[in-house]
Structure formats: structure tokens, C-alpha cells
Amino acid sequence: MGKAKNTKFKRPQFSPDGVAATPVKHVVEELEDDEDSPAAEFLDKLQSPSADLREYACASISRVVQQSQTIPGFLQRDAVRKIGPLLLDHSLAVRETAAGALRNLSACGGPEVCEDMVRQDVLTPLSALLKECCSGFDVNPSPATRGPNRTVMDVANEAVNLLWNLCESSSTSVSLFNKAGLLDALLCCLERHSQNMELALSAAYCLHTVTEENTDLVHGVNSAVFDVLDNILSSTQTSMEYTLLRTLAAGSLWNMKNSLSSAQQSHTLTALVATLSHSLSLDAGELMPELWCAESARLSKGTTSATESNHTDEPPAGHGAGAEEMEEDVRDGKMNAGKPNGRMGKRNNDISDLLPRERLELREAKALLSAQQTSLEIIVNMCCSDEPSDDEWEEMSSSDESEMCADVMSDTNSSLCSPLCLSAELHAVLLNHRIPQQVLKMAEFPSPTALELCSKDASWKCLLKKFHQVQCRALTCLHNILASMDTESLGGASGLQAVAQHLSSLVFSSAEVFKDEEFLEAVTSALRSLLKIMASKSIPQCMTPHQLMSFCEAATRCELVSVRVNALAILGITGSSLAKEKDTTDTLQLIGNALLNIAMKDSNLVVYGEALDAIFDVFADGDEAEKAGKNINLLSSLKALQPGFRAKLRKEGRGKYSPDQLCVLDNIRINLKRFISYLENLQRK
């Protein structure tokens, strides 16, 4: 342990605004089944011969299931099988609201509900609906301004969002997506970006999701797919929504890069990195106030005109309205779940795409932050590898005594290959577009002015979490960049010290930092990578021992295992560096006691192992380390820990931990035995 593996963004079940999706159990005890149940009432109305009544029932279901506690009642009454056929209803309005109801059910119900929907064959009518919509785009084009009547594109947008929810939460959905040939439908929706940006963005998000780690799909793509994405990348429109669309297209191209020839890869890589760089170069701190002022002026002007013509005393709409009121009003007008905002997003209880279409500037602001978050996530994945690093390979192969490692290597067909590194071409392209510098600037985010503006305006408060997420993604991105680029590319010793100073200022900015697990994980990962590089280059660190101890003490109390592991690794890295200096015995004793205390008390084997690994690093060599080790009775403490660690590994290992974790833990068991022997030899001298 003690070696950080680069982060790769997956799709955990979270809403873009950080609200965990609520799982819904299939069996619900004591569920009331009376005639007054809203589920029973609305589901009965789905069978009405009146299209208006069917539409009303779907819209009502869409609204009600946003309260996740109501979802079991609908599932018990076979809601999916009853709503599914309405996706092909003769009424466009019913189709749209039926798709919206299923979309909300999937988004608010979480992955368990999505899997259940797939088992109930919701993808069959959904696939038919999407293909029918695509063939009807030119027959019933979307008007430039939305009128009271539904259009085929409105229906398609709901259907694409439902498809996206399902594919994010269910691998079965992705497999069925491939078999149904729905890629063509997404491309058809993407090509409508000049007519309907909302539909194009939904399709772009969905494509970004289904192309991730989908070898069956990627190997079968043809030039038409790349042509559509290249055309989007080369578009020149300057709106933030187009910036987001181009960013998502770049992400899909990265996911499908292995289908391109070497010559095509070179051209595409340059184009997509340029797209990401453009997204990151936009200064949200400057643009947010501009957009807010533009909206204020426009809404104020519209209200004045309305007042003059109608002679009413109604207050102006917009900035004075509460967010909850706005959200409720929009739900009544168009019932659906919120638009997701990035590769790892799961749309649950996020109603941010329910912003009324007239809130153009607010939509632009959200698109900007979404584009930057997505750009950072793509760069994170560019700078990571599924292969083990040199350190991990060394640990996994360090001993023929490790039976668990032998099992793991056998189970994975000995597929441990090359260390993490960027190709020379990717490295050069990232540097040419100043990606490291842009990422660092994003980590300094957010702008106090923009935050203050959003916090004071009820309808713009939804952007506060977006700002926070951009900063967290930037810190994770910084972690991967630090681990995959050489020191000179990052500005040399002075550049690394500046980064360290910035990260330290973030860590000690407020006591609230230690209550925010997402931020704490991101900043500790980045700090761990940075300190490791600085230690290897003998570059002085910027944190005092007192700061270091107080930070790690607080971090090791965090419930998130990864944060505790990072804190222990930071202690190990720092202690190892201090052991080479003079007059550091007292500090090494503090570090040693802290590590032993965690090893004795933490119930998680990974944390336990990391604490032991850090001890090995700190007390492996040097007069100061030897003196400190004797002062804290390190040898007797480790001898006392050894039987418990062995027993815990044997008892809990295979049931709770991954093969990779078991392999490293088994090596720590062996290294503990060796380290005790090493300390015994020192004592005999």
C-alpha cells in the first residue's frame, strides 16, 4: 500500500448536485393498498379512452414519484408495464408525459428500479419510440419558439433522457442498446442541434455514457459516427450550451478513439484537447456576473413592458422568486427529472433542467459549469490507466511467499503489464494547450464574487453545488496529472512548491473542510501525489510538522476510507523525508505514535495496512528513525500487532476486499514479518 492509483471517473449513483440516489426495495412492508392510494388512482386512469385523461395521469405520476417514498406503491402495482405501452400512444402529448413519468421513476428510484424497469422490458417500446421519432423529425419539425403543442422532438428528448438513465444504472441496458442499434437514433438527435439544443445535449450526454468502456459498440462504429462528432467539434457558435455540446462530443470521441487509425487519432486528439482547453479557459468568475446582470436587465425590461400594457401591480418575475416556487411551477408545466451534468452524474431529484426556457442566462451559466466539470472528468480519464504503476507491480511481485498474490495473478491471467504513463503525443498535446495550468486554476475556484451572487439569488443557488463540484474535479484531475507528468512539465521545483502552498491553503482554509468528504478526498489525493513527487526530488515541503499532524489527525477521523488512507500515506511520505534530516526525532515519534494508534484502532483492513506500510517507510532507515523507534517501543508494538493483523486478514480478507487489495495486504503481512526481523537485528547491535 502507500502507493496511490490514479483515479478514473466511473458513474456512481449520484445526482449532479451530489444527492445520492435513493434505492427502492422491491418488497415494501405494510404498504397501504386502499382505494385512496394515488398510485392506484393514477394507474387506473392510464386505461382511459380519453387522451387528455391519460396525459393527466402520466403527468401526475411524473410529479408524485419525485417523492421517492411513493415509488414502491407504483412498482407493486406494475406501473412500468402499464405506462410502457403509452410510449407508443397515438397522442404525442401522452407519449411525452409517459416518457417523462418513466424518466422520473428511473431517476428518482435509483439503480435498483432501473434494473427492474429493464427486466419488465421497457426498452422494447422505448426503442420503437426513438426510431419512430427520428423518422418523424422532418415531418414534424420543432418550431423556433415552443408553442402549446408537443412536437416529435419534445417526445424524443424525454425518451433519450429515459434511455440515458437506464444505461447509466444498468449494464443490461447498455447491452440491449447495442443490440437494438440505438446509436443511429442518438446520432440523429445530435444532428438536430441547430433546431433543438435541448435534445442534442440529452443525446450527447447519453452517447458519452454508452460509449464508455463499451467495446462491443466501439468496435462497430463507422465513419458516419465520427463525422457527426467532428462536425460538432468544428462548430463555431459561442454560446455556453454549444461549449457543453462540443465538450460532450470530445468525451465520446475519447471513448471511441481505439476505432480510429493512427493518423486519425492524432488529428482527433488535438481537436478534442483544444475543445477541453477552451472550456477550461472560460472564466466563470467573470462570466457569471455578466450573465446575471443580463438576465436582470432583460427580466426587468419585460416586466416593465408588461406593467405598462396591463396596468397591473404584480411584482417582477425572476430574481425575487424562491427556487422552490420556480421548481414547483415548472414541474406542473413539464414533468420530468433534471438534466444531468456530466459523465458520472445520475439524474436523481435534480430539477435543474426544469429551468424555464426564458431563463436563458441561467441555463447558459449552468451549461458553462457543466462543460468545465465534464472537461475535467475527461482529462482525469486521459491521465489514468487500468494497468498498475511501477510501485504497485513491485509490491505485487515482491515476494514468492504471497499466496494471495499468486491467486490474484492467476485469476487475472497475469495481465499486469505496463506502468502508468502518458504517450509522448498525449503528453505534448496536453502541455501545448496548457492543460496543467488550467487545471490548477480550476482548483483555485470558485470566484468569491460569483459565489456571493449565486448565494443571494434564490433561483441561482442551484449553481453553488456546481461550483463546488468543478473544484473537486479539478483537484482530482490535478492528482492524476501530478502522477503522470514529469516535474519539469509542472513548472519544476518552484512550480511544485506553489501548488503545495495552494493545496495547503485549501486544507487549512476552514474547519468546514473536514466535514466535506468529497472535497477532502480530492484535496488529500492531490496532496499525497504532490508530496510524493517532492520527496523523491528532495524539494522542501511547505507544511510544518504541527500543521501536518493536525491535518492528518482530522482526516483520519473521516468516515471515508480513501481519505483516511491518503492521510496515512501523507504521514508516511513526510516521515520518510524527515528521517533523512537531523534533529527530527521528536517529530518522528509523533508520527510513529499516530500511525501505531490508527493501526490498533481502525477496523478497516485497508487503513490498518496503510498505517503499517507508512511505519515501514518512516522507520526503514536513518539514525533519527532508529532513535525515535526505540523511544516509542516500535518493535514490541509491532510484535503485538502482528498476530491480530494475520488473523484479521485470514478471517475478513476474501469476503470484504478486492483481489488487488488482498494482494497488497498479503504483501504487508510479509513485510511486517521482515520489518520486525530488521528491527530485532538493529536491537542486537
Side-chain angles (χ1 to χ4, degrees), residues 434-445:
R434 297 179 55 79
I435 293 296
Q437 292 86 344
Q438 290 179 325
V439 169
L440 184 57
K441 186 178 180 183
M442 291 284 105
E444 296 171 2
F445 222 55

Side-chain angles (χ1 to χ4, degrees), residues 38-39 41-46 54-67 70 74 79 82-83 86 97-98 100-102 104-105 335:
E41 177 190 351
F42 295 140
L43 290 173
D44 285 344
K45 285 184 170 65
L46 294 177
R54 295 196 301 277
E55 179 189 356
Y56 165 77
C58 288
S60 299
I61 292 169
S62 188
R63 191 165 53 239
V64 170
V65 297
Q66 291 183 51
Q67 304 300 318
T70 67
F74 284 96
K82 291 176 180 177
I83 302 172
L86 297 183
T97 50
L102 291 170
N104 276 11
L105 189 63
M335 274 54 90

Side-chain angles (χ1 to χ4, degrees), residues 478-627:
L478 180 62
H479 160 68
N480 279 21
I481 285 175
L482 287 167
S484 57
M485 287 190 172
D486 58 83
T487 306
E488 291 309 310
S489 300
L490 300 167
S494 60
L496 292 178
Q497 284 180 318
V499 176
Q501 191 64 51
H502 170 62
L503 293 179
S504 299
S505 67
L506 288 178
V507 167
F508 297 108
S509 60
S510 164
E512 296 300 309
V513 165
F514 295 98
K515 298 177 183 177
D516 186 341
E517 290 185 349
E518 183 184 13
F519 176 81
L520 203 53
E521 180 178 27
V523 76
T524 55
S525 295
L527 193 57
R528 173 181 179 171
S529 290
L530 179 62
L531 293 179
K532 182 180 176 183
I533 293 170
M534 293 176 73
S536 69
K537 304 291 181 182
S538 300
I539 299 171
Q541 297 178 14
C542 61
M543 279 200 293
T544 66
H546 174 73
Q547 285 179 317
L548 176 77
M549 292 304 298
S550 63
F551 159 67
C552 290
E553 220 175 285
T556 52
R557 291 197 294 268
C558 178
E559 288 188 13
L560 211 59
V561 168
S562 58
V563 172
R564 304 206 300 275
V565 166
N566 284 338
L568 292 170
I570 289 169
L571 279 176
I573 293 164
T574 305
S576 179
S577 296
L578 290 172
K580 298 170 187 173
E581 300 176 10
K582 292 185 180 296
D583 301 321
T584 56
T585 302
D586 290 344
T587 305
L588 292 175
Q589 287 176 204
L590 284 174
I591 291 174
N593 280 325
L595 293 171
L596 285 170
N597 187 52
I598 291 164
M600 286 186 285
K601 293 182 178 179
D602 203 298
S603 61
N604 186 283
L605 255 180
V606 172
V607 178
Y608 193 166
E610 189 69 52
L612 291 173
D613 199 54
I615 289 171
F616 305 156
D617 288 340
V618 174
F619 296 94
D621 193 26
D623 293 340
E624 297 290 328
E626 185 178 344
K627 193 189 306 181

Side-chain angles (χ1 to χ4, degrees), residues 425-468:
E425 183 177 16
L426 177 55
H427 184 275
V429 172
L430 291 174
L431 289 180
N432 287 343
H433 287 88
R434 297 179 55 79
I435 293 296
Q437 292 86 344
Q438 290 179 325
V439 169
L440 184 57
K441 186 178 180 183
M442 291 284 105
E444 296 171 2
F445 222 55
S447 156
T449 303
L451 284 183
E452 184 180 6
L453 181 151
C454 292
S455 64
K456 288 182 177 179
D457 188 318
S459 57
W460 283 62
K461 276 187 178 178
C462 61
L463 299 182
L464 291 175
K465 287 183 179 179
K466 296 290 293 178
F467 274 108
H468 173 75

